[in-house]
């Protein structure tokens, strides 16, 4: 089965072709970072309009580069949520319309399911069951994944997601947009142990996270400095990054020990963080478990993960009706309620 995937949940326009036998055939991605940088964050209306401008040219390029004719496409997958409602509607309307015109089934994919399955684009790919750490700008979750649609939420952030904390802390330190990546780069120049921030919620039972308090600690520390140098700024960034990474690793260790799962999957934009990857790799070695990551370009939003997730769902006989919906909020536990089963 060959599936076209479309991703437009926020500020990246992504398209991809995935073949159930040949794997990923190709993908195209356009980032709106430069568009939103002047505003210091994503402007939803501008994001939606840019998706409208970019999606058809990207689709045309993808089909040309892969030498794919529309008759060769067996299904269309698009991100149906969660995300920015206007941005989601662009991809959903284009995806549903193409599927109708081509006479093939269409399926709305849950954005987080795409991230959870993204490491399956790699070789070797993880097999079920596994523990997933989904860590991005909008979500920080630990999920036990036992199969397609079989997701058990073990813990999540009660306030800011890790990526959100990175972005907000970067803004406090006067860094540019996107802040998380800028802070991580600055942290590479920082000296370890020059400052110390707490590892929130690690001294109590449970697998939930809380990162909002770290922002306050950074702000207090930064304001207490008299004429701080760039080195001091880097040292504070390093201390903040260490606090985030240590917290994530501690909770992953706890979740692995509680579930006794033997595979750990890292997904989401913060999964590209070098220090986090190093520490989780060390954790895997100490516990003698396998650790899987998507390639860096598939940590952030992309069409490839949507094409893969859609292909797996369509192969299982699931699809959506013509009455498609975009969902700005969508629980993973309610994914299957939106699909119609294949007729017997």
């Amino acid at each position: 089965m060959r599936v076209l995937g479309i991703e437009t949940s926020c500020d990246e326009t992504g398209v991809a072709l995935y073949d159930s036998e040949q794997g990923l055939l190709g993908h195209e991605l356009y980032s709106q970072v430069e568009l939103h940088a002047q505003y210091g964050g994503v402007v939803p209306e501008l994001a939606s309009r840019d998706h409208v401008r970019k999606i058809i040219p990207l689709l045309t390029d993808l089909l040309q580069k892969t030498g794919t004719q529309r008759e060769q496409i067996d299904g269309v997958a698009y991100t149906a949520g969660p995300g920015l409602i206007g941005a989601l509607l662009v991809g959903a309307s284009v995806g549903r319309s193409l599927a109708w015109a081509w006479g093939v089934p269409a399926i709305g994919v849950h954005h987080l399911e795409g991230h959870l399955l993204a490491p399956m684009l790699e070789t070797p790919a993880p097999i079920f069951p596994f523990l997933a750490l989904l860590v991005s700008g909008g979500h920080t979750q630990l999920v036990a994944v036992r199969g397609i649609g079989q997701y058990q939420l073990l813990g999540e952030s009660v306030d800011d997601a890790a990526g959100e904390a990175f972005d907000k802390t970067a803004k406090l330190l006067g860094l540019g947009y996107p802040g998380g990546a800028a802070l991580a780069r600055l942290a590479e120049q920082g000296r370890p142990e020059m400052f110390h921030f707490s590892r929130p919620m690690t001294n109590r039972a449970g697998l939930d996270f809380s990162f909002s308090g770290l922002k306050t600690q950074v702000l207090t520390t930064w304001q207490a400095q008299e004429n701080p140098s760039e080195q001091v700024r880097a040292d504070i960034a390093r201390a903040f990054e260490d606090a985030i990474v240590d917290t994530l690793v501690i909770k992953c260790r706890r979740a692995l020990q509680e579930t006794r799962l033997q595979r750990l999957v890292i997904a989401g934009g913060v999964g590209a963080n070098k220090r986090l990857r190093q520490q989780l790799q060390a954790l895997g070695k100490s516990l003698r478990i396998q650790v899987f990551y998507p390639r860096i370009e598939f940590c952030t939003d992309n069409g490839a993960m949507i094409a893969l997730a859609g292909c797996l769902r369509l192969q299982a006989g699931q699809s959506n009706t013509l009455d498609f919906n975009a969902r700005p909020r969508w629980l993973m536990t309610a994914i299957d309620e939106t699909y119609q089963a294949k007729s017997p």
Side-chain angles (χ1 to χ4, degrees), residues 32-160:
Q32 301 176 0
V33 167
E34 292 185 8
L35 172 66
H36 300 289
Q38 59 185 310
Y39 303 102
V42 177
V43 181
E45 178 64 21
L46 295 181
S48 302
R49 294 184 182 189
D50 213 42
H51 286 309
V52 172
R53 286 190 288 265
K54 297 298 190 302
I55 191 166
I56 298 302
L58 285 175
L59 284 168
T60 301
D61 288 346
L62 175 67
L63 296 179
Q64 289 178 346
K65 290 179 179 179
T66 58
T68 301
Q69 303 298 316
R70 68 182 190 180
E71 294 81 8
Q72 297 175 281
I73 296 176
D74 303 304
V76 178
Y78 55 87
T79 303
L84 302 176
I85 184 62
L88 290 167
L89 283 171
V90 175
S93 59
V94 170
R96 179 64 265 186
S97 298
L98 288 175
W100 180 81
W102 295 342
V104 298
I107 190 161
V109 172
H110 194 289
H111 182 73
L112 300 187
E113 181 173 64
H115 276 301
L116 287 179
L117 302 179
M120 299 180 74
L121 291 163
E122 311 301 336
T123 302
I127 59 174
F128 301 120
F130 55 77
L131 174 71
L133 171 65
L134 178 58
V135 55
S136 66
H139 302 85
T140 299
Q141 298 178 337
L142 282 166
V143 183
V145 181
R146 305 190 185 280
I148 302 299
Q150 300 177 41
Y151 309 130
Q152 179 188 3
L153 181 63
L154 304 174
E156 62 183 337
S157 179
V158 298
D159 40 54
D160 290 349

Side-chain angles (χ1 to χ4, degrees), residues 21 269 299 301 327:
E21 295 183 357
C299 287
D301 298 346
R327 298 166 175 258

